[in-house]
Amino acid sequence: MSLPESIQNLIDEFSKLPGIGSKTASRLVFYLLNKSDQEVAGFSQAVANLSKGLQKCQICFNVSEDNPCNICNNSKRDKSKIMVVEEPLDVVAIEKTPYDGLFHVLGGAISPIDNIGPDDLRIKELIDRIKTEKGISEIILATDPSLEGEATAMYITKQIKNQNIENRIKSNIIVTRIARGLPVGGDLEYADEITLTRALEGRKEYD
Amino acid sequence: MSLPESIQNLIDEFSKLPGIGSKTASRLVFYLLNKSDQEVAGFSQAVANLSKGLQKCQICFNVSEDNPCNICNNSKRDKSKIMVVEEPLDVVAIEKTPYDGLFHVLGGAISPIDNIGPDDLRIKELIDRIKTEKGISEIILATDPSLEGEATAMYITKQIKNQNIENRIKSNIIVTRIARGLPVGGDLEYADEITLTRALEGRKEYD
């Protein structure tokens, strides 16, 4: 039996999403089939309206309704810190922590396999911010603890250090990297050896 | 930071879907944010069009573009067998097997916890089919091997047997239940004891 076209269409669309295979997609579609027309229309509208009124902040490149975004524009934030992240979703995650500095969204990580080089990311824009914004004391590299994220962090560090040498006035900016270690609530015996090595390297005096 | 409204809206909509929590929902929404307007519009349209032109087959209650559906209407199908399933998605699964009989979609299973009784399912309609359709020799109960599915199968069997007694002419209809046992490709040591018990009960002579 071939499925009705409208059902197959939506299964195909769901299957394009990350982490959703054809079985999950079918399950979602048949779930929606049991919902009222109104609920399905609400979903459709929410998708259609997704990017309406959204733009990229021209300072930090986060998605936002305003430009500059409400983080860059917030006078209460600590403007001496810029946290560099890969994606807007990373900003959402960090915003649940006490961090109250600024952000810079790269738009990904350096990945030769995916043909993404430094010029495809907003690294140049970060260097420009470091050159022009006043009062920056720390750049926190919070790219993913993956091969790509580490390579990106390393590349950015080099670029900033070059800038520091060229512009002596800026040489008081420190570059930090978020700690790699055991996730809270995790189980030591299940941790991989690289994570354990990093956790040991990052150990601190217990007080 | 509160998320832009359109993003939060779509996260809320995705979170309503089964098996999708708020983290997965965020990931899907930010994935869509990176897609072109055209691709997002395609997705939105597929959702909006989902139930357009779809109806429930008035014989088997499967979702279909036609009424009766293309299974009930297919003269090549074996009309002596009716397989009783809970959901349209079950029909999709069975259609990948060599089964070539008819279906009857109940619309769920008896579940007192969810306040679903026999009258909320299309059991009466099944009994009507058994009474009126000619040449039926077997009713295959393919409800889920869950508590609810088993209860539903048991209830339907009783109903059909009552009918058989009332209408002696129909008493040659047999009622079967799909086998419960070890899933193919599975691992015996991981099977639960109820599945193992069923697998033993259902053993057949090896030939």
Side-chain angles (χ1 to χ4, degrees):
Chain A
M1 184 189 73
S2 64
L3 284 169
E5 198 187 334
S6 65
I7 294 183
Q8 190 60 55
N9 259 353
L10 188 54
I11 291 177
D12 293 345
E13 289 291 341
F14 268 119
S15 302
K16 289 179 192 165
L17 300 177
I20 296 191
S22 64
K23 280 221 169 177
T24 306
S26 305
R27 205 158 47 90
L28 297 177
V29 171
F30 279 90
Y31 172 85
L32 282 176
L33 267 178
N34 282 331
K35 293 285 137 190
S36 70
D37 285 354
Q38 202 188 340
E39 283 170 290
V40 175
F43 185 29
S44 164
Q45 273 304 311
V47 177
N49 292 340
L50 176 58
S51 47
K52 284 207 181 111
L54 287 188
Q55 45 192 326
K56 285 214 169 78
C57 169
Q58 286 310 303
I59 299 175
C60 73
F61 299 96
N62 193 9
V63 281
S64 171
E65 282 160 321
D66 305 302
N67 185 12
C69 72
N70 52 7
I71 294 178
C72 291
N73 232 355
N74 186 341
S75 59
K76 286 178 186 153
R77 312 258 332 184
D78 178 357
K79 294 193 193 303
S80 71
K81 294 187 183 68
I82 297 182
M83 184 181 289
V84 180
V85 296
E86 294 181 16
E87 302 289 352
L89 204 47
D90 300 327
V91 175
V92 179
I94 297 286
E95 281 293 281
K96 290 173 186 152
T97 73
Y99 179 74
D100 74 338
L102 303 177
F103 288 96
H104 189 86
V105 180
L106 293 173
I110 297 172
S111 172
I113 289 177
D114 302 315
N115 215 9
I116 301 176
D119 295 341
D120 300 312
L121 306 173
R122 297 184 202 98
I123 295 176
K124 194 185 159 295
E125 288 84 347
L126 173 67
I127 303 297
D128 286 345
R129 283 182 74 177
I130 295 172
K131 279 187 195 168
T132 56
E133 284 180 30
K134 292 199 173 79
I136 300 174
S137 64
E138 183 178 0
I139 305 292
I140 305 167
L141 300 175
T143 51
D144 287 345
S146 61
L147 212 65
E148 294 79 12
E150 296 292 355
T152 309
M154 206 176 295
Y155 180 86
I156 292 174
T157 308
K158 271 190 193 165
Q159 294 296 308
I160 296 174
K161 291 218 167 126
N162 284 345
Q163 290 301 322
N164 279 354
I165 294 163
E166 284 170 33
N167 310 279
R168 287 186 174 272
I169 205 159
K170 290 273 188 189
S171 60
N172 54 344
I173 295 180
I174 60 165
V175 180
T176 58
R177 177 89 175 102
I178 49 163
R180 275 68 46 92
L182 292 171
V184 176
D187 204 330
L188 193 136
E189 67 184 285
Y190 294 126
D192 63 290
E193 60 200 62
I194 302 175
T195 300
L196 277 175
T197 308
R198 299 285 193 194
L200 272 171
E201 284 169 2
R203 69 190 182 277
K204 280 187 178 171
E205 200 177 335
Y206 203 71
D207 52 16
Chain B
M1 183 189 74
S2 63
L3 283 169
E5 198 188 334
S6 65
I7 294 183
Q8 190 59 54
N9 259 352
L10 188 54
I11 291 177
D12 293 344
E13 289 290 342
F14 268 119
S15 302
K16 289 179 192 166
L17 300 177
I20 296 191
S22 64
K23 279 220 168 178
T24 307
S26 304
R27 205 158 48 90
L28 296 177
V29 171
F30 279 90
Y31 172 85
L32 282 176
L33 267 178
N34 282 331
K35 293 285 137 187
S36 71
D37 286 354
Q38 201 188 342
E39 283 170 288
V40 175
F43 185 29
S44 164
Q45 272 303 311
V47 177
N49 292 339
L50 176 58
S51 48
K52 284 209 180 110
L54 287 187
Q55 44 191 327
K56 285 217 168 75
C57 170
Q58 285 310 303
I59 299 175
C60 73
F61 300 96
N62 193 9
V63 280
S64 172
E65 282 159 321
D66 306 302
N67 184 11
C69 72
N70 52 8
I71 294 178
C72 290
N73 232 354
N74 187 340
S75 59
K76 286 179 186 154
R77 311 260 329 187
D78 179 355
K79 294 194 193 299
S80 71
K81 295 186 182 69
I82 297 181
M83 184 181 289
V84 180
V85 296
E86 294 181 15
E87 301 289 350
L89 205 47
D90 300 326
V91 175
V92 178
I94 297 285
E95 282 293 282
K96 290 173 186 154
T97 72
Y99 178 74
D100 73 338
L102 302 177
F103 287 96
H104 188 87
V105 180
L106 293 173
I110 297 172
S111 171
I113 289 176
D114 302 315
N115 214 8
I116 302 175
D119 295 341
D120 300 312
L121 307 174
R122 297 183 203 98
I123 295 177
K124 193 185 158 298
E125 289 83 348
L126 173 66
I127 303 297
D128 285 346
R129 285 181 73 178
I130 295 172
K131 279 187 194 169
T132 55
E133 285 181 30
K134 291 199 173 78
I136 300 173
S137 64
E138 184 177 358
I139 305 292
I140 305 166
L141 300 175
T143 50
D144 286 347
S146 62
L147 212 65
E148 293 80 12
E150 297 292 356
T152 310
M154 208 176 294
Y155 180 86
I156 293 174
T157 309
K158 272 191 192 165
Q159 294 295 307
I160 296 175
K161 291 219 166 124
N162 283 347
Q163 290 301 321
N164 279 353
I165 294 164
E166 285 170 31
N167 309 278
R168 287 183 174 273
I169 205 159
K170 290 274 188 187
S171 61
N172 53 344
I173 295 180
I174 60 166
V175 180
T176 57
R177 178 89 175 101
I178 49 163
R180 275 69 43 95
L182 293 170
V184 177
D187 206 329
L188 193 136
E189 68 186 283
Y190 295 125
D192 63 291
E193 59 200 63
I194 301 175
T195 300
L196 278 176
T197 308
R198 300 285 193 193
L200 273 171
E201 285 169 0
R203 68 189 183 278
K204 279 187 178 174
E205 199 176 336
Y206 202 71
D207 53 17

